[in-house]
Amino acid sequence: MMHSAADGTPRKPRTMAELERENALFHEEIMVARRASEITASLVVEQFQKMEAILHQLEDNLAVQKELRRDLAENLEEVEAQKQELASARNAAESANAAKSAFLASTSHELRTPLTSVLGFARIIQKRFEQVIVPAIPNPDRKMERVIRQVGDNLAIIVEEGERLTSLINNVLDLAKIESGRIEWKIEPVSLADIIDRSAAATSSLFHDKPLTLELDVDAGIPPAMGDRNRLVQVLINLIANAVKFTEAGSITCRARCTEEGTLLQVIDTGIGIAVEDQDRIFENFTQAGSDTLSDKPAGTGLGLAICKQIVEYHGGRIWVESAPGRGSVFSFSLPIAANFPSSTERTARPANASAITGDVQATAKTLLVVDDEANIRELIRQELDPQGYRILCADSGEKALHQARKYLPDLVLLDLMLPGMNGYEVLADLKRNPQTRTIPVIIVSILEDKERGFRSGAEAYFTKPINSTALLKEVKRLLERTEPGHANDIT
């Protein structure tokens, strides 16, 4: 049968060759489509495999993250436990340090009372031995001269060792107060030239027994520094005393300079020097240079430089040493410069630590009331005042002190603070409230170091035991010269 074309004309039958070609082309198209399908299927499988691998990786990562979170939680617990342990250890250390400071302060205060008696009576014996007993022995023979010399030397040793013990106790108390934050600071503009002059005057006696000279080198126009005048003098005195201790001959120089960082003070000596390995640790508590190797160890507790470091660092400065064995030492400390210094209105310090008196206090008819619960201290002060011609009243409690003050109206009161029952501050407050007694000058004499409160409460002067008897007598004289004669009532 013959097929027709679309227009109705009969179509020519295809040949076998044409059919074979068409069949080959169709087969080829089928093969291409099949290969494309196989490739697509392969790509899909490959992508699925990759996605599966990624999923496995994510699962592994999640497992690792869970493990890490678990480890982190455990570590955080350990860290928190360690923090608590450290906090407990710190609290224990702070408590132990506070207990140590309290013990040192309490022990030092307790030592001051008997030391005041020992040192005070030793000075009285020394003075009367030299001024009364020795002149009363006319033409002593050689044996008597030797005895007199030995007794005099022994008394000098007792006084010297008592003064050294006083210095050691003061150092321990200073350290305890600085560490506990109870020290009183009076920060103000201070003249470095004044600090150096005061320190040089205070240490001048140290140069009498050695071929040493003290040289002062202060830049002209050096600006004032900010600081506590008395504490800075304490630092410089300590550095000068150390320089004298370790220098047998030569010179010691106190120098003040202005630098870019502030003001610089230096104490330069020509002494034995300090080994490099000792230069950092000498500023630690209870440490001295060469204390492990020196056969002739210097006296002291090893607290002086530690206290100097604390004081300087409180002022925002730093202290250091440059030295070499056999080449001397240079101790330096820096201080901040005061922006404005009222040079025309410098304060005058209270003369609680006045310099030595030239001549005796003249005898007067003034009446003094000595208030102290320790009989030895009352007797010591009485013996110091008796030769000056004063009339002495004594009281061992606050109540008795007030009774005698109202009855006799003394010209001056020397008042201890630690009294049984009514304490010294209560006595002072009562004296100042009473119109009859409010004008009587009061000198506090106590083992407590509380000068600011003492002056604020109305005291005219404040002395810390052991007493500097020379300074006390001078202050008594100064205050009595301000009162009118005949102020006191008749004691009889």
Side-chain angles (χ1 to χ4, degrees), residues 86-273:
L86 288 174
S88 299
R90 183 173 63 252
N91 292 335
E94 290 174 352
S95 298
N97 190 57
K100 177 209 71 176
S101 298
F103 171 76
L104 289 175
S106 174
T107 303
S108 299
H109 282 312
E110 289 300 321
L111 287 173
R112 276 187 166 181
T113 297
L115 180 60
T116 298
S117 297
V118 171
L119 185 55
F121 283 116
R123 284 171 174 158
I124 289 176
I125 294 171
Q126 183 183 43
K127 184 190 227 180
R128 295 189 181 170
F129 177 76
E130 294 172 352
Q131 297 179 357
V132 179
I133 296 176
V134 174
I137 304 176
N139 304 318
D141 56 24
R142 182 176 300 177
K143 183 178 180 180
M144 181 60 68
E145 285 180 349
R146 184 168 65 253
V147 171
I148 291 173
R149 185 170 58 254
Q150 288 175 345
V151 172
D153 291 344
N154 292 344
L155 286 171
I157 290 172
I158 294 172
V159 171
E160 181 181 348
E161 291 301 296
E163 291 172 344
R164 187 166 73 90
L165 183 56
T166 300
S167 176
L168 300 184
I169 290 174
N170 289 338
N171 281 343
V172 171
L173 283 172
D174 277 345
L175 181 66
K177 287 192 296 183
I178 291 173
E179 289 183 345
S180 64
R182 292 184 292 106
I183 196 168
E184 297 174 357
W185 302 94
K186 186 179 180 182
I187 305 299
E188 60 184 351
V190 293
S191 165
L192 297 184
D194 175 60
I195 289 175
I196 288 179
D197 287 342
R198 289 176 61 183
S199 304
T203 56
S204 60
S205 61
L206 301 178
F207 293 81
H208 293 167
D209 298 328
K210 287 186 176 183
L212 277 171
T213 59
L214 177 62
E215 301 175 3
L216 308 183
D217 181 12
V218 182
D219 274 355
I222 189 170
M226 287 300 295
D228 184 309
R229 186 187 310 273
N230 291 332
R231 294 296 173 184
L232 294 177
V233 169
Q234 178 183 352
V235 171
L236 205 53
I237 287 176
N238 191 283
L239 295 181
I240 294 173
N242 277 353
V244 172
K245 187 187 302 183
F246 292 101
T247 306
E248 292 302 320
S251 64
I252 294 171
T253 302
C254 287
R255 177 180 295 167
R257 295 284 187 268
C258 185
T259 68
E260 294 180 357
E261 298 179 359
T263 54
L264 178 68
L265 283 87
Q266 295 178 306
V267 175
I268 306 164
D269 65 57
T270 57
I272 62 175

Side-chain angles (χ1 to χ4, degrees), residues 99 270 275 300 379 406 465:
T270 57
E379 178 63 18
R406 293 166 188 152
K465 298 174 183 176

Side-chain angles (χ1 to χ4, degrees), residues 61-95:
N61 289 343
L62 287 174
V64 170
Q65 288 180 4
K66 288 181 180 179
E67 186 69 22
L68 289 175
R69 281 197 297 269
R70 188 165 52 251
D71 292 342
L72 180 60
E74 292 176 357
N75 289 338
L76 287 174
E77 290 177 359
E78 291 179 4
V79 169
E80 187 63 28
Q82 290 176 356
K83 284 174 62 178
Q84 292 178 356
E85 290 177 3
L86 288 174
S88 299
R90 183 173 63 252
N91 292 335
E94 290 174 352
S95 298

Side-chain angles (χ1 to χ4, degrees), residues 361-369 385-386 388-392 409-414 439-443 460-461 472-488:
V361 179
Q362 294 181 353
T364 70
K366 302 286 188 179
T367 300
L368 278 62
L369 173 59
L385 297 173
D386 261 350
Q388 316 308 320
Y390 300 127
R391 293 179 294 178
I392 309 299
L409 296 179
D411 296 285
L412 186 143
V413 176
L414 292 98
T439 60
I440 299 175
V442 176
I443 297 177
E460 296 289 337
L472 177 63
L473 290 175
K474 182 174 182 180
E475 186 65 10
V476 167
K477 178 185 177 183
R478 184 185 74 84
L479 292 174
L480 290 177
E481 287 174 348
R482 298 185 339 191
T483 63
E484 294 296 328
H487 177 275

